[in-house]
């Protein structure tokens, strides 16, 4: 993530090169370099200080000049070469990282920007570096009730032309009989495993590249290190523990992000191998358990970049790796679009979305074809939910990138998703997500009545320790008689202790109902909890403590608390801004 932002800024700061003539690039020398150096230092400082907020001024200057640069018709190779030099002299990243990132990403970014209709200012707003008013996101010491919005019409997200298969006579996948002794069941969520096949015990965890613990000398532990992705042997140890839960689990939801974070040097085959390795490990650990996987933004190559037909190889590999878990209709859908639906039991359906369409860092999402309607996935989603409603089914929705600022989700997708959640709130019984590596709640409200909650995204923390997280997983409790999620249990292990004992030991972090004093896990109960954070600081502190379970403890003052409330309710950037009173 950080590397991609560095790249973005570098692309935007392309201005720091002059042209000796039309198409040749020459790095600025002598005095001119001194003129730009403070700007580079400022950018570098901002990147190191915060995760997503570069200053709006820097972005706009860079973007305006980028436009001029593109108009000069410089070749991609020239741009990469020039940017790599800039990246190296500014010490934004190590040389191999600079070259790796630029070679992988710059051709796509340049290609997309040339085709997109974004003006530089709009681009800075799109990446949420500038607010709509053109300034950096400001820190208001308050938060505001969300306004009602009557323009809301899910039918604007359908094209009405595509024919879909009837879902009426599908066979349920789940064989287990429910109800003999109890109607309560459990499912496990695994997410953001990000194992590193090249993790090296005793290597340097703080090497200055975006991912370390692969070379040098240092204290990278036997089980892992907080600054790095986890070794495969740790994944195996965790799975060995999870295998003991098999009898209690009805199914597993696996919300993706399989490869490590060395995004500057990956290849298509690395990505395919990561998904294959984990698919095989999960199948081996749980040979008789249903698994419902979703694609993460790291599965593709380069990371986050996905567009059809170019990314067909990814869907082909998912089709192969997910083959033992899904039925043929679902697999065909995966092969075609990366999303699917499955009838779990009579009256209960799984719908899994492909959230590469909700990835702000997927530059292909800037193409005009995408902006016209997110790859028709909304059309399929609405059709599927409409059929589910007609067939009296409830729906458990699964995806990777949730709708929250920290997820770098897109407004196009999340505005659509909000409308869909409001329209189908009666049949949506849960929305299971990952991606941000932290424990987050997202609450959707009805555009016509912002005090009415329509749905929640449960955002489960990562299994990888990257960065500064204890490894975690979650178990949801489900009542099949009402088709409701009745509770969830969050677990974590202590990596410091795991390194000392050579054994990974998971403990219950909290049980949602008890931790937050909830009467039930309905969207309205979560909304009420969120509103209570305004005044009930001890309740908020429980939430805040659970966000990051790890070695780094931080304090949260009133501004910070209000930011987190807006993070929960700000499912699009305009709702976030409204909440913040920007
Ligand atoms: C860049 O290329 C376009 C299309 O080939 C051309 O119309 C334009 O004049 C060129 N601009 C410069 C500055 O060379
Ligand atoms: C129900 O409970 C009985 C007695 O404890 C047990 O023998 C039986 O296997 C249980 N049935 C199911 C479906 O779990
Ligand atoms: C285990 O990992 C921790 C945290 O990542 C690290 O500080 C420590 O040095 C490691 N310990 C061992 C024994 O490798
Ligand atoms: C969306 O569906 C319409 C109608 O079937 C089709 O013309 C269009 O090409 C599709 N767009 C994408 C991005 O698949
Ligand atoms: C992990 O264990 C260490 C050493 O026992 C302890 O200091 C630390 O507080 C523990 N971390 C968590 C999150 O429980
Ligand atoms: C696992 O952790 C629990 C709670 O921290 C502790 O009581 C128990 O002894 C640990 N077990 C092992 C095998 O380390």
């Amino acid at each position: 993530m950080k590397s991609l932002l560095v790249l973005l800024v570098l692309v935007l700061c392309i201005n720091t090169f002059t042209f000796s003539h039309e198409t040749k690039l020459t790095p600025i020398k002598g005095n001119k370099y001194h003129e730009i150096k403070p700007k580079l230092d400022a950018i570098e400082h901002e990147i190191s200080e915060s995760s997503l907020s570069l200053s709006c001024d820097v972005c706009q200057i860079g973007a305006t000049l980028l436009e001029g640069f593109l108009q000069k018709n410089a070749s991609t190779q020239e741009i990469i070469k020039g940017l790599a030099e800039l990246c190296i002299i500014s010490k934004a990243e190590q040389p191999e990282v600079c070259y790796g990132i630029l070679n992988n990403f710059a051709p796509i970014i340049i290609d997309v920007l040339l085709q997109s209709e974004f003006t530089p200012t709009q681009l800075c707003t799109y990446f949420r570096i500038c607010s709509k008013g053109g300034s950096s996101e400001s820190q208001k010491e308050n938060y505001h009730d969300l306004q009602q919005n009557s323009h809301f019409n899910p039918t604007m997200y359908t094209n009405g032309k595509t024919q879909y298969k009837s879902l009426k006579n599908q066979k349920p996948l789940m064989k287990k009989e429910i109800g003999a002794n109890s109607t309560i069941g459990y499912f496990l969520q695994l997410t953001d495993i990000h194992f590193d096949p090249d993790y090296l015990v005793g290597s340097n965890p703080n090497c200055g590249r975006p991912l370390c613990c692969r070379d040098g000398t240092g204290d990278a532990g036997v089980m892992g290190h907080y600054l790095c992705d986890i070794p495969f042997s740790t994944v195996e140890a965790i799975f060995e523990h999870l295998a003991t839960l098999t009898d209690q689990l009805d199914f597993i939801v696996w919300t993706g992000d399989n490869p490590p974070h060395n995004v500057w040097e990956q290849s298509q085959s690395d990505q395919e191998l990561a998904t294959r390795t984990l698919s095989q490990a999960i199948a081996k650990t749980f040979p008789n358990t249903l698994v419902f996987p979703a694609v993460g933004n790291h599965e593709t190559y380069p990371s986050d970049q996905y567009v059809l037909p170019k990314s067909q190889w990814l869907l082909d590999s998912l089709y192969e790796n997910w083959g033992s878990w899904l039925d043929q209709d679902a697999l065909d859908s995966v092969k075609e679009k990366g999303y699917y639906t499955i009838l779990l039991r009579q009256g209960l359906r799984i719908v899994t979305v492909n959230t590469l369409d909700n990835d702000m860092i997927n530059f292909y999402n800037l193409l005009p074809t995408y902006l016209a309607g997110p790859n028709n996935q909304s059309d399929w989603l609405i059709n599927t939910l409409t059929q589910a409603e007609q067939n009296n089914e409830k729906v458990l929705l699964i995806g990777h990138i949730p709708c929250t600022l920290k997820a770098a989700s897109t407004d196009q997708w999340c505005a659509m998703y909000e409308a869909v959640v409001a329209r189908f709130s009666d049949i949506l019984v849960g929305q299971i997500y990952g991606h941000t590596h932290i424990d987050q709640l997202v609450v959707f409200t009805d555009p016509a009545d912002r005090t009415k909650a329509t749905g929640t995204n449960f955002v489960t923390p990562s299994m990888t320790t990257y960065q500064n997280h204890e490894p975690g997983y979650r178990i949801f409790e489900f009542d099949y008689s009402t088709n409701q999620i009745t509770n969830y249990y969050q677990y974590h292990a202590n990596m410091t202790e795991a390194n000392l004992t050579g054994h990974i030991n998971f403990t219950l972090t909290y049980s949602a109902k008890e931790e937050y004093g909830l009467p039930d896990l309905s969207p309205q109960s979560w909304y009420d909890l969120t509103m209570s954070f305004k005044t009930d600081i001890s309740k908020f502190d429980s939430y805040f403590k659970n966000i990051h379970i790890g070695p780094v403890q931080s304090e949260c003052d009133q501004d910070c608390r209000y930011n987190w409330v807006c993070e929960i309710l700000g499912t699009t950037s305009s709702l976030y801004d409204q909440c913040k009173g920007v």
Side-chain angles (χ1 to χ4, degrees), residues 201-226:
V201 177
S203 62
N204 180 7
N206 208 352
C207 63
R209 293 188 294 270
L211 180 68
C212 300
C213 294
R214 306 176 125 221
D215 55 17
T217 308
D219 69 346
V222 276
M223 299 298 280
H225 194 284
Y226 293 118

Side-chain angles (χ1 to χ4, degrees), residues 319-476:
Y319 178 88
E320 249 171 58
N321 289 312
W322 297 354
S324 54
W325 299 314
L326 307 180
D327 63 26
Q328 197 56 47
D329 282 350
L331 282 171
D332 290 344
S333 176
V334 166
K335 198 176 170 77
E336 206 188 324
K337 296 284 189 176
Y339 48 69
Y340 62 88
T341 181
I342 273 214
L343 188 65
L344 181 62
R345 306 179 65 226
Q346 224 42 265
L348 182 60
R349 173 171 297 284
I350 303 276
V351 172
T352 301
V353 289
N354 172 356
T355 55
L356 280 153
D357 286 349
N358 184 28
D359 185 353
M360 193 194 275
I361 301 168
N362 177 4
F363 284 85
Y364 292 114
N365 285 340
L366 289 164
L367 291 173
T369 43
Y370 170 81
L371 297 171
N375 286 330
N376 287 341
Q377 189 171 179
S378 54
D379 189 64
W380 168 82
L381 180 61
I382 291 168
N383 177 278
T384 305
L385 295 174
T386 305
Q387 289 202 50
E389 187 178 62
Q390 285 160 359
N391 299 341
N392 278 321
E393 293 162 356
K394 300 288 184 191
V395 170
L396 188 63
L397 209 151
I398 298 169
H400 180 71
I401 304 182
C403 285
T404 170
L405 189 73
K406 292 223 180 288
S409 48
T410 69
D411 280 344
Q412 296 90 322
W413 172 275
C414 291
M416 174 280 289
Y417 192 89
E418 179 199 49
V420 169
V421 168
R423 163 66 184 80
F424 294 99
S425 62
D426 288 348
I427 65 165
L428 286 170
V429 296
Q431 301 165 49
I432 316 293
Y433 282 87
H435 182 62
T436 64
H437 293 201
I438 56 180
D439 189 328
Q440 279 187 268
L441 170 68
V442 174
V443 176
F444 292 87
T445 51
D446 191 330
D449 176 2
R450 291 290 180 193
T451 63
K452 188 173 160 239
T454 53
T456 51
N457 283 174
F458 293 118
V459 183
T460 293
S462 60
M463 186 164 286
T464 184
T465 45
Y466 190 92
Q467 270 185 322
N468 287 319
H469 302 298
E470 301 291 10
Y473 63 82
R474 184 172 288 187
I475 292 181
F476 287 89

Side-chain angles (χ1 to χ4, degrees), residues 143 145 529-537 561-562 565:
Y143 73 93
D145 291 336
L529 174 73
T530 306
M531 297 319 274
S532 80
F533 292 163
K534 275 185 181 182
T535 50
D536 190 337
I537 295 177
R561 182 157 51 94
Y562 288 166
V565 169

Side-chain angles (χ1 to χ4, degrees), residues 191-206:
T191 196
D192 297 85
I193 298 174
H194 288 288
F195 77 96
D196 185 359
D198 295 323
Y199 183 96
L200 191 63
V201 177
S203 62
N204 180 7
N206 208 352

Side-chain angles (χ1 to χ4, degrees), residues 492 494 497 501 503-508:
H492 75 273
N494 185 321
E497 286 175 4
T501 61
H503 170 85
I504 193 147
N505 182 15
F506 283 87
T507 49
L508 181 69

Side-chain angles (χ1 to χ4, degrees), residues 14 17-27 69 72-86 99 102-103 106-107 110:
I14 208 155
F17 289 85
T18 53
F19 303 93
S20 49
H21 47 91
E22 281 308 328
T23 56
K24 274 232 178 88
L25 262 172
T26 340
F69 177 81
K72 287 193 159 118
N73 297 345
S75 77
T76 300
Q77 276 320 308
E78 286 169 326
I79 297 175
I80 290 176
K81 188 169 176 294
L83 285 179
E85 283 180 36
L86 175 61
Y99 270 108
L102 286 162
N103 283 326
I110 293 164

